[in-house]
C-alpha cells in the first residue's frame, strides 16, 4: 500500500514526531508499505510533487522542530489555481490518483481539516491529525504542539516578569491566537498573569486601566498582562479581523497590544511596555508531553489507515485517543468558554479579564 503525508498550516513543535510515528507504524505493520512525503502541504499536492520517505528519513524526527515536509499557511481558497486548467480540488484529486495513494495523512489545523473533508468527499482516503499551538480544533480536547507552546510562553512570561518587577512597570505580553485564547489563557494562568485578555472575552478599556490603577493604589508595584493577538475591545467585537484594522486608531494596526500599552501608560502614570513573543512560540523541540501525544496520535492514525478507516481525524478525548468523522468537525472551531471552569477559576483568584464582570 502507498501512503502520502503532508503538513499544512502554521507549523508547531511535534509535526516531525507525528510523521515519524506514522512511518514507524506503517513500516512495522503493513506489508510492503511505501511512504511518500508531499512538500508544502496542499500546494505540493496541487503541483503533484512527492518524494519517498524511508526508515532513515524518520531517524531523529521525534525531537526535531518544524516539519521536514515544509508547510504553507496560505488559505486553500487563495492557493494558486493550476495553469493547465481544472480547480485546486480537481487537481489534488487527480494527483492523489496519479501518485497511486491508498491513503493521505493530513497533519494540520482547522483549515487543513476543512480541505481534508473536501478531498474525502471526492473519494480520496484521508486521515487527519490535529495540530496547532492554538488548540482550537473542534472535537479534540487537545491538539499536538499546544502544550509545547504553553511551556514556551510560560517560560518567556516568567523571564519578562523579573524585569517588569525590577522596573515597577506594567507589561503586556502578546501571545499568538487570533480567534481562540487557549494559549494565552493557560500560559497566563500558569505564569501568574494578573490580567488575561482573550478574543472570547472582549475587554473594556476603562476596566483594564481601572484594574491597573487599583493595583497601584493597593501598593502593588507591577502588573503582568497576557494579551492574545486576537484580543478585542468591546467596542470592536462586532467586527471581523479584516475589518478591525480599519476601526483601530492607528490605521493598519494588526493587534491591539501597542495601543493598549500607550493608553495604560498615559492613564495610570505607570511606565508600560509590551513584548510580542511571535514565532518562538511555534519553534523548537516538542516537550515530553507532546512527544508522547504525537507518537500516540501518529501511531493511532496509521492504525486507522491499516484498518481501512478513512474520512476521519485522530482526536484526544479524556485520556484516550479516538477519532472523529471529518464532516462532523470540518469548519468548526473550539473556543474558550467565558463561563467555563478555567475562566471561573481564574476570576476566583483575582485574575481580571479586562471586562466589567
Ligand atoms: O495558526 C497558528 C498561528 O501560529 C496563529 O496563532 C497565528 O495567528 C498565525 O499562525 C500566524 O501565522 P503566520 O505564520 O502566517 O504569521
Amino acid at each position: 500500500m502507498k501512503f502520502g503525508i503532508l503538513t499544512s498550516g502554521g507549523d508547531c513543535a511535534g509535526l516531525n514526531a507525528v510523521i515519524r510515528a506514522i512511518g514507524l507504524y506503517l513500516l512495522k505493520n503493513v506489508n510492503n508499505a511505501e511512504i511518500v512525503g508531499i512538500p508544502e502541504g496542499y500546494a505540493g499536492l496541487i503541483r503533484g510533487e512527492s518524494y519517498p520517505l524511508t526508515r532513515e528519513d524518520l531517524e531523529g524526527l521525534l525531537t526535531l522542530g518544524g516539519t521536514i515536509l515544509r508547510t504553507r499557511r496560505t488559505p486553500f481558497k487563495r492557493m494558486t489555481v493550476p495553469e493547465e486548467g481544472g480547480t485546486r480540488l480537481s487537481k489534488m484529486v487527480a494527483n492523489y490518483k496519479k501518485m497511486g495513494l491508498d491513503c493521505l495523512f493530513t497533519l494540520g489545523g482547522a483549515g487543513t481539516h476543512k480541505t481534508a473533508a473536501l478531498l474525502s468527499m471526492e473519494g480520496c482516503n484521508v486521515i487527519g491529525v490535529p495540530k496547532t499551538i492554538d488548540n482550537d480544533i473542534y472535537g479534540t480536547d487537545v491538539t499536538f504542539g499546544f502544550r509545547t507552546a504553553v511551556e514556551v510562553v510560560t517560560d518567556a512570561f516568567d523571564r519578562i516578569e523579573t524585569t517588569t518587577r525590577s522596573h515597577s512597570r506594567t507589561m503586556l505580553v502578546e501571545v499568538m491566537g487570533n480567534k481562540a485564547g487557549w494559549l494565552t489563557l493557560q500560559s497566563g494562568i500558569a505564569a501568574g498573569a494578573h490580567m488575561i485578555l482573550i478574543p472570547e472575552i472582549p475587554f473594556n478599556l476603562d476596566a483594564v486601566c481601572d484594574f491597573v490603577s487599583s493595583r497601584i493604589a493597593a501598593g502593588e508595584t507591577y502588573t503582568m498582562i497576557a494579551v492574545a493577538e486576537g484580543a478585542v475591545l468591546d467596542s470592536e467585537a462586532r467586527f471581523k479581523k479584516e475589518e478591525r484594522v480599519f476601526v483601530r486608531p492607528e490605521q493598519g494596526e494588526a493587534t491591539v497590544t501597542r495601543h493598549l500599552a500607550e493608553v495604560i501608560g498615559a492613564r495610570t502614570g505607570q511606565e508600560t511596555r509590551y513584548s510580542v513573543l511571535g514565532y518562538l512560540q511555534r519553534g523548537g523541540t516538542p516537550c515530553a508531553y507532546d512527544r508522547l501525544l504525537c507518537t500516540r496520535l501518529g501511531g493511532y492514525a496509521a492504525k486507522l489507515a491499516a484498518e481501512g478507516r478513512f474520512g476521519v481525524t485522530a482526536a484526544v478525548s479524556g485520556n484516550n485517543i479516538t477519532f472523529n468523522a471529518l464532516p462532523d468537525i470540518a469548519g468548526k472551531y473550539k473556543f474558550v468558554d467565558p463561563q467555563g471552569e478555567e475562566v471561573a477559576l481564574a476570576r476566583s483568584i483575582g485574575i481580571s479579564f479586562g471586562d466589567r464582570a
Side-chain angles (χ1 to χ4, degrees), residues 39-162:
E40 296 187 327
Y42 294 118
L45 188 57
I46 293 171
R47 295 196 301 264
E49 289 173 24
S50 68
Y51 55 87
L53 284 178
T54 64
R55 183 176 295 279
E56 289 68 50
D57 294 321
L58 306 178
E59 290 289 330
L61 291 192
L62 181 60
T63 55
L64 186 66
T67 160
I68 55 163
L69 299 177
R70 294 180 286 123
T71 186
R72 285 280 188 90
R73 251 201 99 243
T74 322
F76 180 62
K77 59 180 182 220
R78 285 204 221 117
M79 282 183 184
T80 317
V81 185
E83 275 174 24
E84 60 277 24
T87 63
R88 299 171 187 91
L89 185 57
S90 68
K91 202 72 196 160
M92 290 200 301
V93 175
N95 285 331
Y96 173 96
K97 290 181 183 151
K98 206 157 136 194
M99 287 175 195
L101 297 181
D102 294 295
C103 172
L104 173 66
F105 296 95
T106 56
L107 283 47
T112 304
H113 280 77
K114 204 169 161 187
T115 308
L118 293 177
L119 275 172
S120 174
M121 281 192 309
E122 293 296 317
C124 301
N125 294 333
V126 186
I127 298 178
V129 189
K131 157 241 76 164
T132 169
I133 65 165
D134 295 340
N135 194 33
D136 60 353
I137 299 183
Y138 184 82
T140 184
D141 290 352
V142 68
T143 55
F144 74 83
F146 173 66
R147 279 290 184 87
T148 303
V150 171
E151 296 290 336
V152 170
V153 174
T154 304
D155 179 63
F157 207 94
D158 288 350
R159 288 169 188 277
I160 294 170
E161 176 160 7
T162 65

Side-chain angles (χ1 to χ4, degrees), residues 10 73 132-134 176-178 229 279 282:
R73 251 201 99 243
T132 169
I133 65 165
D134 295 340
M176 277 187 172
N178 246 316
E229 62 179 330
Y279 296 94
R282 294 212 312 230

Side-chain angles (χ1 to χ4, degrees), residues 151-226:
E151 296 290 336
V152 170
V153 174
T154 304
D155 179 63
F157 207 94
D158 288 350
R159 288 169 188 277
I160 294 170
E161 176 160 7
T162 65
T163 164
T164 307
R165 196 188 310 129
S166 305
H167 288 264
S168 304
R169 287 173 169 161
T170 290
M171 179 67 73
L172 297 110
V173 179
E174 185 181 298
V175 177
M176 277 187 172
N178 246 316
K179 297 193 181 84
W182 294 106
L183 184 54
T184 312
L185 176 67
Q186 295 201 357
S187 52
I189 294 173
H194 304 116
M195 180 182 285
I196 296 174
L197 305 179
I198 56 174
E200 293 88 340
I201 307 178
F203 64 87
N204 179 277
L205 209 44
D206 294 334
V208 168
C209 294
D210 288 352
F211 179 79
V212 176
S213 295
S214 69
R215 283 180 54 80
I216 296 168
E220 305 286 358
T221 56
Y222 74 105
T223 297
M224 294 293 294
I225 307 177

